[in-house]
Amino acid sequence: MDTLPHRLLLLTLVSACAGQEDPLGTELAVTPEINFLPSDKIVEGDSLEVRCRVRQPQPPRLKVFVMKGSTVLKSRSKKAFWNTSLAQAADGGNYTCKAEANGRQKSVKRAVHVAELFSTPVLTVQPIDVFEGEMLTFSCKSAHMDSQRINATDVKYHLYKENIKVVDLPSGEYRMTADVQHDGNYSCQAEAKSIQKQSLVIVLKTKELFSTPVLTVQPKDVFEEELLTFSCKSAHMDSQRINATDVKYHLYKDNVKVVHLPSGEYRMYADLRFNGNYSCQAKAKSIQKRSLVFVLKIKVFTINKVTLMILPATEVQRDTDVELKCDCDANASETATLTYQYSFYKYQQLIHTENHSFSHLSHHLHAVRVPTSGLYSCEVKILNATVRSEAEFLRVTGVETPSLKVSRGEISEGEELSVECTAPKEEGPFTFNLYHNSTLFNTNSSKENSLSTKLKFEQSGVYEVHCSYELLLFQATSEKSNREVVAVRELFSKPVLTVQPRNVFEGEMLTFSCKSAHIDYQRINATDVKYHLYKENIKVVDLPSGEYRMTADVQHDGNYSCQVEAKSIQKRSLAFALKTKVLVSKPLIEAWGNVVLGRPFSIVCRSVRGSLPITYTLLFKGETVSSFIVHSPQDRAVFNVTSITVNSREEIRDFKCLAQNLGDKSKRPSLALNTTVIEPVSDPQLTALPSTGNVVEGKELILFCPVKDGSPPITFKWYHNGKIINSSTTEERKHSYTLSKIEHKQGGRYYCQVQNTDMESRRSGEITVTVKDAPWKIAMIAFIIVLLLSIVTVSLIHYIHKKDDPSHSGSQSAFSWAYCPCGPTPLYTPACLKSCLQSWDVLVRDFQDIKGVKSQHLLWVSSHCTFTLLHCIINYCFVGDSTSPPEVPHLHLTPYLSLFPSPLQARERRKKPSSICKLNIDLFLICSKKYHPIALFRAASSPASGVHAASIQTNKT
C-alpha cells in the first residue's frame, strides 16, 4: 500500500539514520563544479578531460555523474572524471555535472567547443545510373580543412563496402567496371593525425544488362536412361541495350565447360557417368554470369518382381467381392521417389490403370459372376521400365437357375408352342437349351439373358418341357429350370416302309409300300396325307398311292425310307437297307506263290463281282479236285494242291475253277491256269583250264561251272577255301571265273554253288589249284648262289696264294680232281650235289696242309666244281631224280668266261696271253604246251689247250 503518510514516515526514518533532517522535495545543498582541460576551446586531435566534483560539505552517499546529454560518461562518489586523448568535433557540446545523494540531486552544465581539422568527407558515385560493363567512378572529398594545422596530403581516403575496406584512394577517386557483384553499401573514410571521419553510406545498385541465369533440370528426380533436360535462362534482359541473340549460354560440369547451348537447352539420356555439379553461364558484351550450382545425382531403380494376388481365393462363388492385389518389389536410390503406374489386365484387355507412389495397389471386383472368370495379370511401369506379373486365373462358380414359361398346356401335332427361358441376373452371351422329357430338342444362342421362341411337336404324347443355359466362354452350365407339362395330340401315326421280295437279285421286280396305321380323320382328310420315298435322305419319288415298283439293280442299293406329310407335320419311317444280290462273275485263277516242278503248290480262285456266299470248285483235266465256299469278303478260296504232281510246264494249264452263287444256272468257269513254273537247278560240274589245276605263277587259270537243268535267272557263287569270292546272276546255265596272273596265295580249294528262284542251292565238287614258282625266280636263286660261291672261292684263293710254295708245283696233276668227287664226267643225281657240297668242306679244312699246290690249280678245281654244283642244282630242280644225262638238241651261246684257267692255260697265258682257254656255256631251252622250260649248261674247252671240257645236256622230262 503506497500512501503519503507512509512516504513521510520513510523519509523521516532515513533522515534520522543519516543524522540530518531535510524536508521532502528540497534541492541538494551542494555546489557541483565542471571544468575542461586544457580549456573549453580545443581543436580535433587535442586531448580533452572533463572534471566533475562537489566541494565541502559533502553529504553521505554522494555520487557524481559526468553526462553528455542523457548519456552518463562517468560516475563515481564525490568526484568523476572523463577524458579522451583524441578529441573530435563530435566531442564538443554541453556537458553536465550531476551530484546525487539521498534521493536528491543537483547539476550544473557547461559547453566546450572542438574545432574541426577537416570536415566529414562526402562520397559520390558517377554516373548515378550505371549499367553492367560501364565505367564507374567513386570520389571521396572533405569540403573544409584547417590549413594551418594540416596539409591536404596529410588526409588519407579509404573506400569501404559493407564497413569493410575495399581499397585506398590516394587521389580520392577509384574507377572500376560496373558489375552486379559489386552492388552494396559503400562509404569512404578520411584520416589525418589519427582523426578518422566516415562519409554517409551510398547504396550502389548496378542496372543489369541481363539477370543471373537460372539453371533448371527436368525432371528433378531423374533415373537412369530417362530423358534429362538442362535449361539455362536469364529472367530479365535490357532489350534496349542487347538482343536475346547476343546472350550466349554454356553448360558447365564441375567448372569444366561441357557444351554450348544455342537455344538455352540441352537434352541427354541420364547415365550414372553424368553425376556431378552443374552450372550454366550467360555471356553478353564481355559480361559473364554464372548460375547457382545444381547437384545432379541420377537415381537408380530396379524392378525385381511384380506379383498378382487374387483374394480371397482364385476360385470363388458368384456374388463374392474379389480383390486383385498387385505388389511390386523394386529397389531404388535412397532419396528417389518412385511413381508406379499400375495396369490391370483381363487376358490382354486393360481393365484399370492408376498411378501411385506406393509399391502395391488393389483393384476390386464387386459381386463377381461367371463372366468375370478369366486370366488376370497386372503390369507395373516405372519410367521406361515395365514388368508384368504372371497371370492368375480367377474362376467364378455357380450360375443362376433359369425360369421357364409356356403359352399353353395342350396342343395338336403341327401347332406352335410359345416358350420363354430367362436368367435375369446373368450376363451373356448365352446358349439356351430346351428339353422335352429330358431330351434336347432345341438350341438357340442369345446375347440377352432371356430367350423367347416357338416350338412345334411332330409327335403326339405328353411332354415335360424345361430349359437350361450355357456360358460357353466360361464352360459354365446352369441347373435345369422348372418343368412345364405339355400334351400333344396325334394327327397320324409314323409310317412303315416294306419291300417285297426282301432277298432280290438283279433283274427281278421290286415293290416299295409306305403306310400310316392310324389317321385322325376328324382333323384331316385322307387326301391331305402325302407319301414320299427317300434314298439316303434324298427324295426319290412321290408315292400317290403309297406304293412304288421298279426293277432291281445294284445301282439302286442303299438306305430307303418313306415320309408322310399332312398340315406341315412330317413323319419319317425307319430305314430299310436294300442290298440287291449280284450274280457271280467269271472267276480268275492264279497260283499262290511259286510253282516248282514236282512239288506241292497252291491255287487261288476269286470273282470280281458276286453276292456272297460263293462256291468255288477246282478242276484238273475236267475232274473235280475240291470245293470251297466263301462267306465273307475277308475269305479266300485257296486250294492246296498236294495230291497232284506237276511234272511239266504244260500240265499247269490243265487247272480251272468254277464259281456259283445261285445254283447251277449261275455257274461260271475260269480260263486255264497260266503261271510261271520254276525248274530246280541240277548239280553243277566244276572244271578248270589248265585241266590239272597246276599253274605257274603269273599265268591265267579259268574255272568253269555249268548246270544241265534249271530255270533262269541263276545265281553262281564262287568259293575259295570255304570263303565266297564272287557272286553273279545270269540268264545262262553256265558261268566262268578267271584268275589272271595267279599268285601263290590264290592256290587252294575251289568250288561253285548255284541257286535260282527255287531258293534251293546246289554245290559242285572241289578242285585243288597248285601254283608253282616262275622260271625267272629259279634262275635268280641260282645266280645268287653262284655269285656267293664265287666270292667265297676268290677269297680262299687269295689267301692261299700268299702261302704258295714253288717246290710243290709237280704235284698239280695228281691234285686236279682230288676235291671234285664228280670227276671229269658229272653225274646228274642228288648224290653228285651232295658230294660237291662235302668236297667244299674238305677243301676249306685241308688247303693249309697242301704243299706244292699252285693257286692256279686250286682255282681251276674250284671253278670246275662250282659249275658242276650249279649244274647239279638246276638239273635236280628242273629234271628231278634222273640218273643219266638227257639227250636233247642244244643252242650254243657266246663263250664269255675265262676267269679260271687250268695250270696249262696259266703257262700258255705267260707265253701268249691271247691264247686263253675258254669256258663255253650253252643254254638249251625247250618250251611247249605240255612241258616246262629246262635250262641246260655246257662247259667246254679246246682239245689243243688241254683244258677239261664239261658239257651238260637236258632232255624232255
Side-chain angles (χ1 to χ4, degrees):
M1 184 163 73
D2 188 12
T3 60
L4 181 60
H6 286 88
R7 289 186 178 180
L8 294 176
L9 178 61
L10 180 62
L11 288 175
T12 303
L13 292 174
V14 170
S15 298
C17 292
Q20 298 181 358
E21 295 182 0
D22 294 328
L24 182 63
T26 61
E27 188 180 50
L28 186 64
V30 294
T31 301
E33 295 181 355
I34 184 170
N35 295 310
F36 299 100
L37 295 177
S39 69
D40 57 358
K41 294 182 179 180
I42 61 174
V43 180
E44 287 180 320
D46 293 343
S47 62
L48 173 63
E49 183 176 0
V50 180
R51 293 186 176 184
C52 182
R53 63 183 179 177
V54 177
R55 296 187 179 275
Q56 297 291 339
Q58 295 178 345
R61 301 189 181 187
L62 176 66
K63 196 169 185 179
V64 178
F65 300 90
V66 177
M67 304 174 64
K68 187 176 183 183
S70 60
T71 303
V72 177
L73 300 179
K74 200 73 174 179
S75 64
R76 288 186 64 185
S77 58
K78 297 181 181 180
K79 58 181 178 182
F81 303 94
W82 177 85
N83 59 24
T84 176
S85 60
L86 191 64
Q88 295 186 7
D91 293 332
N94 294 319
Y95 286 83
T96 300
C97 177
K98 183 176 72 172
E100 183 177 308
N102 300 321
R104 291 181 295 173
Q105 60 183 11
K106 189 175 183 178
S107 62
V108 61
K109 293 184 178 180
R110 186 179 176 183
V112 64
H113 177 71
V114 181
E116 288 184 320
L117 276 178
F118 52 91
S119 60
T120 300
V122 177
L123 177 65
T124 60
V125 179
Q126 291 296 332
I128 296 176
D129 294 330
V130 62
F131 285 86
E132 288 179 311
E134 292 183 342
M135 192 58 67
L136 183 65
T137 302
F138 290 91
S139 178
C140 185
K141 293 295 181 181
S142 290
H144 165 70
M145 194 175 296
D146 189 348
S147 58
Q148 295 182 357
R149 290 178 173 267
I150 58 173
N151 298 321
T153 56
D154 295 335
V155 181
K156 306 297 181 184
Y157 297 98
H158 311 283
L159 182 64
Y160 283 77
K161 178 186 178 184
E162 310 296 350
N163 293 322
I164 299 173
K165 187 169 82 169
V166 177
V167 66
D168 294 329
L169 305 175
S171 62
E173 289 187 353
Y174 178 65
R175 295 170 63 84
M176 68 178 182
T177 301
D179 193 302
V180 292
Q181 295 180 357
H182 302 149
D183 288 356
N185 298 318
Y186 284 84
S187 62
C188 71
Q189 184 186 76
E191 181 181 2
K193 291 189 177 180
S194 302
I195 299 300
Q196 297 176 345
K197 293 185 179 182
Q198 201 87 12
S199 70
L200 297 176
V201 173
I202 292 180
V203 179
L204 177 62
K205 182 67 176 177
T206 304
K207 293 185 177 181
E208 291 182 316
L209 283 175
F210 53 91
S211 61
T212 300
V214 176
L215 176 64
T216 58
V217 180
Q218 291 297 333
K220 290 184 178 180
D221 289 337
V222 62
F223 292 85
E224 268 192 306
E225 300 181 1
E226 190 178 10
L227 188 62
L228 183 65
T229 303
F230 292 90
S231 179
C232 184
K233 293 293 179 182
S234 292
H236 165 71
M237 196 175 295
D238 191 339
S239 58
Q240 295 182 353
R241 292 176 174 267
I242 59 173
N243 298 322
T245 57
D246 295 335
V247 181
K248 307 298 180 183
Y249 297 98
H250 307 278
L251 182 65
Y252 285 78
K253 177 189 175 185
D254 298 326
N255 292 322
V256 177
K257 182 178 173 182
V258 176
V259 68
H260 173 55
L261 308 176
S263 63
E265 287 189 354
Y266 177 65
R267 295 177 177 229
M268 67 179 184
Y269 285 98
D271 192 290
L272 293 177
R273 297 174 299 172
F274 302 151
N275 286 343
N277 298 320
Y278 285 83
S279 62
C280 72
Q281 177 181 281
K283 181 178 181 182
K285 291 187 177 181
S286 73
I287 301 299
Q288 297 178 352
K289 295 184 180 181
R290 184 74 66 87
S291 70
L292 296 177
V293 172
F294 179 87
V295 179
L296 177 63
K297 186 170 181 59
I298 296 173
K299 296 174 175 56
V300 181
F301 75 92
T302 303
I303 302 179
N304 299 321
K305 187 177 181 181
V306 176
T307 305
L308 176 68
M309 294 180 63
I310 299 179
L311 301 173
T314 56
E315 183 170 343
V316 296
Q317 289 289 328
R318 65 188 178 99
D319 296 327
T320 304
D321 289 338
V322 174
E323 177 186 359
L324 303 179
K325 184 177 181 181
C326 188
D327 185 76
C328 179
D329 179 14
N331 296 331
S333 303
E334 294 180 0
T335 59
T337 301
L338 298 178
T339 299
Y340 301 80
Q341 180 180 342
Y342 292 91
S343 299
F344 293 86
Y345 293 85
K346 180 181 180 182
Y347 294 105
Q348 297 301 321
Q349 183 178 2
L350 179 66
I351 59 173
H352 181 72
T353 183
E354 184 178 342
N355 291 338
H356 211 284
S357 60
F358 295 128
S359 61
H360 58 84
L361 182 70
S362 294
H363 175 62
H364 295 276
L365 305 175
H366 300 287
V368 295
R369 295 280 180 168
V370 170
T372 314
S373 300
L375 206 59
Y376 289 84
S377 62
C378 71
E379 184 179 83
V380 177
K381 182 178 180 181
I382 303 175
L383 299 175
N384 295 327
T386 302
V387 176
R388 182 174 287 195
S389 70
E390 293 185 0
E392 296 289 341
F393 192 83
L394 171 63
R395 185 182 301 279
V396 181
T397 59
V399 293
E400 183 182 7
T401 301
S403 174
L404 178 70
K405 294 180 181 180
V406 298
S407 59
R408 287 184 295 169
E410 184 177 350
I411 60 172
S412 298
E413 285 183 329
E415 291 183 343
E416 291 183 339
L417 178 69
S418 298
V419 297
E420 181 183 18
C421 186
T422 60
K425 294 183 180 180
E426 295 295 342
E427 297 178 0
F430 297 86
T431 297
F432 287 95
N433 302 315
L434 297 175
Y435 300 84
H436 65 74
N437 297 337
S438 300
T439 301
L440 177 66
F441 73 101
N442 187 279
T443 298
N444 284 283
S445 297
S446 175
K447 293 182 180 179
E448 304 299 329
N449 56 8
S450 65
L451 174 68
S452 295
T453 186
K454 294 183 181 295
L455 302 180
K456 183 182 290 187
F457 294 87
E458 296 182 353
Q459 293 182 3
S460 61
V462 177
Y463 297 91
E464 286 187 350
V465 181
H466 59 275
C467 70
S468 67
Y469 63 87
E470 298 178 21
L471 300 175
L472 295 179
L473 295 178
F474 311 102
Q475 298 180 351
T477 303
S478 71
E479 298 291 333
K480 293 181 180 179
S481 69
N482 55 298
R483 296 173 180 264
E484 296 291 338
V485 179
V486 178
V488 180
R489 295 188 299 271
E490 186 180 54
L491 284 177
F492 53 87
S493 61
K494 185 175 181 179
V496 176
L497 177 65
T498 60
V499 180
Q500 291 297 330
R502 298 186 66 86
N503 294 323
V504 61
F505 277 84
E506 288 178 308
E508 293 182 340
M509 191 57 65
L510 185 64
T511 302
F512 292 92
S513 178
C514 183
K515 294 294 179 180
S516 288
H518 167 71
I519 296 176
D520 189 353
Y521 290 108
Q522 294 180 356
R523 304 174 72 86
I524 58 174
N525 299 321
T527 56
D528 294 334
V529 180
K530 307 296 182 182
Y531 295 96
H532 311 283
L533 182 63
Y534 284 77
K535 176 186 176 183
E536 309 295 351
N537 293 321
I538 298 175
K539 189 167 82 169
V540 177
V541 67
D542 294 329
L543 307 176
S545 63
E547 288 189 354
Y548 176 67
R549 294 170 64 83
M550 68 178 183
T551 303
D553 193 294
V554 292
Q555 295 179 356
H556 300 151
D557 286 356
N559 296 315
Y560 286 82
S561 62
C562 72
Q563 179 178 285
V564 179
E565 182 178 357
K567 289 190 175 183
S568 302
I569 300 298
Q570 297 175 348
K571 294 183 180 182
R572 185 74 63 88
S573 70
L574 297 177
F576 177 85
L578 175 63
K579 181 67 173 177
T580 304
K581 292 185 175 292
V582 180
L583 292 176
V584 69
S585 63
K586 187 175 183 177
L588 301 175
I589 184 171
E590 57 188 357
W592 182 267
N594 294 330
V595 178
V596 182
L597 289 179
R599 297 182 187 175
F601 63 97
S602 299
I603 295 176
V604 176
C605 290
R606 61 185 179 88
S607 294
V608 177
R609 297 175 68 247
S611 298
L612 299 175
I614 300 174
T615 301
Y616 294 94
T617 302
L618 181 64
L619 304 177
F620 179 70
K621 294 181 180 182
E623 299 293 332
T624 300
V625 178
S626 62
S627 297
F628 190 92
I629 300 176
V630 175
H631 294 278
S632 69
Q634 291 77 24
D635 291 341
R636 289 176 177 268
V638 180
F639 300 94
N640 295 319
V641 181
T642 57
S643 60
I644 300 174
T645 302
V646 178
N647 297 316
S648 66
R649 291 188 177 90
E650 292 72 18
E651 287 184 350
I652 201 68
R653 297 184 59 82
D654 293 333
F655 286 95
K656 292 182 180 180
C657 70
L658 295 176
Q660 60 181 4
N661 64 346
L662 188 59
D664 291 340
K665 65 179 182 180
S666 63
K667 280 186 178 180
R668 296 290 181 90
S670 72
L671 298 176
L673 177 60
N674 186 12
T675 187
T676 301
V677 179
I678 300 173
E679 182 181 7
V681 293
S682 59
D683 292 334
Q685 302 297 323
L686 180 62
T687 59
L689 184 65
S691 59
T692 60
N694 295 328
V695 62
V696 177
E697 183 182 14
K699 297 299 181 179
E700 181 180 81
L701 176 66
I702 303 176
L703 301 175
F704 298 93
C705 185
V707 293
K708 182 179 179 181
D709 302 316
S711 300
I714 302 175
T715 300
F716 292 85
K717 295 183 181 179
W718 294 92
Y719 291 84
H720 175 222
N721 293 333
K723 295 183 180 179
I724 188 169
I725 58 175
N726 181 267
S727 178
S728 179
T729 303
T730 177
E731 295 293 329
E732 298 181 357
R733 294 182 179 178
K734 60 181 178 178
H735 191 257
S736 64
Y737 180 68
T738 303
L739 298 170
S740 301
K741 296 183 180 180
I742 195 167
E743 300 177 0
H744 279 287
K745 65 181 181 180
Q746 293 177 304
R749 296 176 294 104
Y750 287 85
Y751 65 89
C752 68
Q753 182 177 292
V754 295
Q755 180 182 331
N756 64 356
T757 52
D758 179 35
M759 302 306 292
E760 182 176 342
S761 61
R762 298 296 182 93
R763 172 178 165 177
S764 71
E766 293 184 351
I767 288 181
T768 301
V769 175
T770 303
V771 182
K772 291 189 175 183
D773 288 330
W776 67 270
K777 286 188 177 181
I778 296 176
M780 180 63 71
I781 294 172
F783 175 75
I784 293 173
I785 292 174
V786 171
L787 180 61
L788 292 175
L789 292 175
S790 300
I791 292 173
V792 173
T793 302
V794 172
S795 300
L796 291 174
I797 297 306
H798 179 69
Y799 183 79
I800 295 170
H801 181 69
K802 290 182 179 181
K803 295 187 176 184
D804 191 13
D805 187 355
S807 61
H808 293 82
S809 61
S811 61
Q812 60 178 359
S813 60
F815 182 76
S816 296
W817 296 102
Y819 290 92
C820 188
C822 293
T825 303
L827 297 177
Y828 300 91
T829 61
C832 174
L833 176 61
K834 182 177 180 182
S835 299
C836 287
L837 293 175
Q838 291 176 351
S839 67
W840 279 107
D841 295 335
V842 175
L843 180 64
V844 172
R845 185 177 62 250
D846 297 339
F847 76 93
Q848 297 186 26
D849 299 331
I850 299 173
K851 302 298 183 181
V853 178
K854 295 294 186 177
S855 60
Q856 293 87 343
H857 299 155
L858 185 57
L859 179 60
W860 185 88
V861 174
S862 300
S863 64
H864 184 73
C865 287
T866 297
F867 283 100
T868 301
L869 179 61
L870 176 60
H871 169 73
C872 292
I873 293 171
I874 294 175
N875 184 68
Y876 178 73
C877 292
F878 283 89
V879 179
D881 291 335
S882 61
T883 57
S884 62
E887 297 293 338
V888 296
H890 66 274
L891 177 66
H892 182 74
L893 299 180
T894 304
Y896 73 98
L897 185 60
S898 58
L899 296 176
F900 308 118
S902 66
L904 293 178
Q905 288 176 323
R907 286 196 297 271
E908 291 296 329
R909 178 180 295 180
R910 285 193 296 269
K911 296 177 181 180
K912 189 178 181 181
S914 60
S915 116
I916 300 174
C917 176
K918 295 181 290 179
L919 179 64
N920 299 323
I921 302 175
D922 295 334
L923 175 63
F924 299 90
L925 300 174
I926 297 176
C927 298
S928 66
K929 297 181 181 178
K930 298 182 179 180
Y931 299 98
H932 296 287
I934 301 174
L936 182 66
F937 292 88
R938 179 182 178 186
S941 61
S942 175
S945 61
V947 179
H948 169 72
S951 61
I952 304 174
Q953 296 179 345
T954 63
N955 250 337
K956 292 182 180 179
T957 305

